[in-house]
Amino acid sequence: RPFVGSLFHWQGTVLPDVIHNMLLVGIGSMVIFAAQVQFSWHLDVAGIHILGTIVGFLLIFRSSNAFKTYTESARIITAFTCATADVLTAGVCYLRGAENGDQVVTAKLRETKTMVARLLLGYCVLFKLHSRVAYSGYMLGAIDNDVKVQVDFDMLRLKGLLTEEHYKQVKRALGLTFDLAHQQQCGAELVWRVTQETMPRPALCLVAALRRCFLSMAGTPAGYAERVLQIADPQLTNLLNIYAAMVEQVSTPLPLPYCHLCRLLMVMFLLVYATHIDPVMGFVANVVIPVTVSLAMLGIDAIASEIEDPFGDDPNDFELMPVIRRMELEVLMAMQMGVAPEAANDFVWVPAPAQYDEVQEFLIHVSNLDRVNEQVMEGIARPARIDLSAMADFGCAQPLVSTGWGSARVVPTSP
């Protein structure tokens, strides 16, 4: 960003998080300054500089640890991108093909390619879904209504990609069964309770199904050579490891004693700092400087809190939806390579509702169009207050027609 432009930026900065506390510090500093001038008193707090130094070191250590978490999370995203691409190429490109154009074998190869793509895209969507609820949901026990809406759309996406059996397994492992009994009011905000029981890892369902796909075609004349399993199996294990690393990063917050001590000492310092300044130094020294110091301290604390969990939907979190979109395009590109290129016709694009953040359209399997329509008509986000009319036209999607690498689109049939 340009230097001057970044100075006047609001969204995504620390200002929305600290402005109210800064105002409190400013009001308190003005009251103390006025009292010092009125009654001619000055409180010289011994050890204030030592306390300020201790708070500064604690904030530095916290922000350094938060940035380390942020960089480790970036490496998880990189590993996620590479591992999914490796599994895709192994599952699609290593099929040897049928001799003499055997239609039965070709149909089996097409089914295998399609199933690998469905499970892999389902894994990507599940990765994002779990990152939404891992901390606030599974750790704290509730998610707000905005997150609930996004989770509903993610579940719809999974329903459009997976077979009914795989979808039920994933849904059961997630433990996300929302109904009216799970609503509760938290002040003026509607929240949804989430189970905090220990649940199986939902990614295990999809990775196990991917392994079965490879094993079912291993050693067959038209399928995978057995040595391909030595390539694919470590990558499938890597998918589980990456998923576990993401969950661990999200669900391992800063230890409460450290966070409590850091913020307690920071509040104590800000409370007594204004009393330490000589009133003869004027308004700037007695009011503006304490507010600036509060911006520095509160800002560093807010930055650390922001980047400790970069997998959510906050302005500074990693954007996983473009990564999933790229994977969808790569799936279509890979489908058109090697044997059974007509497998690309097993997927369709459907328009995403306006409430689904960062998504304009997404892939589903053509066999699930009716299931998606049924879910839409029931109202997937009920009783959330959203307009589902944008999703009512899912049934118009037709098998896609390729117009080049990664550019497949739904083409409606002529009347």
Side-chain angles (χ1 to χ4, degrees):
R1 295 180 183 274
F3 179 79
V4 177
S6 63
L7 292 178
F8 298 98
H9 204 70
W10 176 266
Q11 184 67 24
T13 67
V14 299
L15 293 178
D17 296 324
V18 304
I19 188 68
H20 296 96
N21 291 330
M22 286 175 56
L23 290 175
L24 291 176
V25 172
I27 293 171
S29 299
M30 284 191 289
V31 171
I32 293 173
F33 178 54
Q36 287 178 323
V37 172
Q38 180 70 24
F39 301 105
S40 301
W41 64 271
H42 170 55
L43 181 62
D44 189 3
V45 181
I48 186 69
H49 298 296
I50 297 176
L51 178 58
T53 302
I54 293 173
V55 173
F57 274 118
L58 288 174
L59 288 173
I60 290 172
F61 291 151
R62 187 187 176 193
S63 60
S64 176
N65 183 71
F67 185 73
K68 180 181 178 181
T69 301
Y70 190 82
T71 55
E72 289 176 353
S73 300
R75 285 193 285 269
I76 291 174
I77 297 297
T78 302
F80 167 81
T81 304
C82 296
T84 50
D86 287 342
V87 173
L88 175 65
T89 54
V92 171
C93 299
Y94 287 153
L95 290 169
R96 289 179 286 196
E99 296 181 359
N100 302 321
D102 189 317
Q103 294 299 315
V104 175
V105 176
T106 300
K108 180 63 175 177
L109 295 175
R110 175 175 177 173
E111 180 184 348
T112 301
K113 286 181 68 173
T114 301
M115 184 57 67
V116 169
R118 294 172 70 177
L119 292 170
L120 198 56
L121 289 176
Y123 170 88
C124 295
V125 175
L126 181 62
F127 188 94
K128 175 59 180 177
L129 187 157
H130 201 135
S131 71
R132 297 186 197 271
V133 299
Y135 181 69
S136 60
Y138 294 134
M139 291 286 292
L140 303 182
I143 58 175
D144 62 37
N145 200 55
D146 292 336
V147 175
K148 162 68 164 54
V149 171
Q150 301 305 311
V151 169
D152 280 336
F153 290 134
D154 290 338
M155 292 298 294
L156 175 67
R157 203 167 175 176
L158 287 173
K159 194 168 190 177
L161 285 169
L162 304 178
T163 64
E164 186 172 1
E165 178 187 358
H166 293 151
Y167 176 77
K168 288 180 178 179
Q169 291 174 352
V170 169
K171 186 176 180 180
R172 188 162 51 246
L174 284 170
L176 299 177
T177 53
F178 299 116
D179 54 36
L180 290 173
H182 291 83
Q183 282 191 85
Q184 64 184 46
Q185 206 73 22
C186 183
E189 185 178 5
L190 178 68
V191 298
W192 297 80
R193 295 196 308 274
V194 177
T195 179
Q196 292 181 278
E197 298 179 2
T198 302
M199 304 295 292
R201 290 180 293 176
L204 185 61
C205 305
L206 302 185
V207 174
L210 279 168
R211 278 199 165 99
R212 288 196 294 270
C213 283
F214 280 95
L215 287 172
S216 66
M217 296 297 291
T220 60
Y224 304 110
E226 291 187 356
R227 60 180 178 273
V228 172
L229 297 181
Q230 299 177 355
I231 300 173
D233 199 64
Q235 296 302 329
L236 293 172
T237 301
N238 203 21
L239 290 181
L240 288 176
N241 293 337
I242 292 167
Y243 196 96
M246 178 273 293
V247 174
E248 181 181 355
Q249 287 286 84
V250 174
S251 57
T252 308
L254 184 73
L256 177 61
Y258 187 93
C259 182
H260 175 264
L261 178 64
C262 184
R263 291 180 174 174
L264 179 63
L265 293 179
M266 180 171 59
V267 170
M268 293 174 63
F269 175 81
L270 293 175
L271 286 174
V272 301
Y273 180 68
T275 65
H276 181 72
I277 304 173
D278 195 332
V280 301
M281 299 179 67
F283 179 84
V284 172
N286 282 267
V287 178
V288 177
I289 296 301
V291 171
T292 306
V293 171
S294 71
L295 171 62
M297 290 187 170
L298 294 170
I300 293 175
D301 181 73
I303 291 172
S305 299
E306 177 79 8
I307 65 178
E308 279 173 345
D309 177 15
F311 288 105
D313 298 311
D314 296 327
N316 294 294
D317 290 339
F318 296 126
E319 295 183 353
L320 281 175
M321 286 306 185
V323 177
I324 298 174
R325 167 71 173 183
R326 187 185 307 115
M327 176 55 60
E328 289 177 325
L329 297 175
E330 289 174 352
V331 162
L332 292 180
M333 180 182 70
M335 283 292 180
Q336 299 170 59
M337 300 166 58
V339 300
E342 63 277 4
N345 294 325
D346 293 337
F347 294 91
V348 293
W349 290 106
V350 294
Q355 298 88 351
Y356 198 11
D357 294 341
E358 301 178 5
V359 181
Q360 287 75 45
E361 58 182 359
F362 54 85
L363 282 179
I364 68 170
H365 192 259
V366 67
S367 65
N368 289 333
L369 281 174
D370 291 338
R371 295 177 64 206
V372 171
N373 261 328
E374 179 185 354
Q375 183 75 32
V376 171
M377 296 308 293
E378 291 174 356
I380 64 167
R382 190 181 66 236
R385 296 176 293 277
I386 62 172
D387 179 16
L388 295 175
S389 60
M391 304 177 65
D393 202 26
F394 272 176
C396 68
Q398 300 293 332
L400 59 85
V401 173
S402 172
T403 58
W405 277 13
S407 60
R409 290 290 183 271
V410 174
V411 178
T413 57
S414 57

